[in-house]
Structure formats: structure tokens, C-alpha cells
């Protein structure tokens, strides 16, 4: 096995009933929250450019993720933050791990 590839856990997401869009948004929200430490809003995600989704569409998906217990809102006007359940799904099914190269392992 080459040591310079990406590996993703084999956990099935079917049991959660999340669409690919919801999975992608949850992954982006968790990653951004970990990186910035601030609640993540729909407008900020829509401005990223890579999504090509409106803020309203993102808000709707975020609302669904909140109803399912993957996100929560610290207060009414804030963005969303991951819950323990959201982090668990991220770690078990959405996190992509880059294995170190041979030279990184030897260092």
C-alpha cells in the first residue's frame, strides 16, 4: 500500500439519512468551526464560492442538521456549531485522513 494517499473510514452514512449535500455542509461546518472557533453562518459558507449554493439553501440544510441533532445554535442570530453527535459523525464517517509519506515517517 502506498503511504501517500487518503483514507476514509468505511462507516455507512445510510443510517443517518443525510443527503450528500447535508454531509458536505456538515463536514465544512465542523472543519470551519475547528479552524476558527466561531459559529458558522450560512452566508459565510455561501461566499466561499466552491459550494455554488445560496445562503437560503444552506440555511435550510443547516436547519435539517439541527433538527437531527448534528448542529446547534448558541443563540438566535448566531451561526451553527457542531454537537457531540455532529462531531461523532464527522470523525466516524466524514473525516479524511492523509497518511504521512515515507519521508515524513522517517523524520
Amino acid at each position: 500500500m502506498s503511504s501517500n494517499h487518503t483514507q476514509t473510514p468505511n462507516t455507512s452514512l445510510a443510517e443517518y439519512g443525510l443527503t450528500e449535500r447535508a454531509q458536505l455542509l456538515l463536514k465544512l461546518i465542523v472543519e470551519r468551526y475547528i479552524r476558527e472557533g466561531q459559529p458558522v453562518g450560512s452566508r459565510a459558507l455561501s461566499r466561499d464560492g466552491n459550494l455554488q449554493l445560496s445562503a437560503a439553501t444552506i440555511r435550510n440544510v443547516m436547519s435539517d442538521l439541527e433538527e437531527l441533532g448534528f448542529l446547534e445554535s448558541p443563540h438566535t442570530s448566531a451561526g451553527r456549531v457542531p454537537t457531540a453527535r455532529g462531531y461523532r459523525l464527522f470523525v466516524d464517517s466524514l473525516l479524511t485522513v492523509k497518511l504521512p509519506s515515507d519521508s515524513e515517517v522517517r523524520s
Side-chain angles (χ1 to χ4, degrees):
M1 174 166 77
S2 170
S3 62
N4 199 17
H5 74 289
T6 319
Q7 186 176 21
T8 305
N10 295 326
T11 306
S12 170
L13 291 166
E15 65 191 73
Y16 296 107
L18 296 179
T19 64
E20 286 185 31
R21 179 181 287 173
Q23 292 172 38
L24 173 63
L25 285 174
L26 179 61
K27 184 178 192 299
L28 293 173
I29 291 166
V30 172
E31 289 172 345
R32 189 174 197 142
Y33 184 71
I34 289 170
R35 187 174 58 248
E36 297 177 5
Q38 298 292 324
V40 180
S42 57
R43 201 157 179 214
L45 288 173
S46 71
R47 288 182 178 169
D48 279 349
N50 296 334
L51 290 178
Q52 298 181 346
L53 297 172
S54 70
T57 298
I58 294 170
R59 265 192 306 278
N60 288 335
V61 175
M62 290 171 85
S63 178
D64 293 342
L65 289 168
E66 190 170 6
E67 285 179 23
L68 292 168
F70 295 111
L71 298 176
E72 63 186 4
S73 183
H75 52 82
T76 308
S77 62
R80 306 295 201 304
V81 298
T83 62
R85 185 173 191 212
Y87 279 119
R88 174 55 46 207
L89 178 63
F90 175 77
V91 169
D92 289 346
S93 304
L94 302 173
L95 179 64
T96 305
V97 179
K98 180 181 180 281
L99 299 175
S101 69
D102 290 336
S103 63
E104 290 172 325
V105 170
R106 286 190 286 267
S107 297

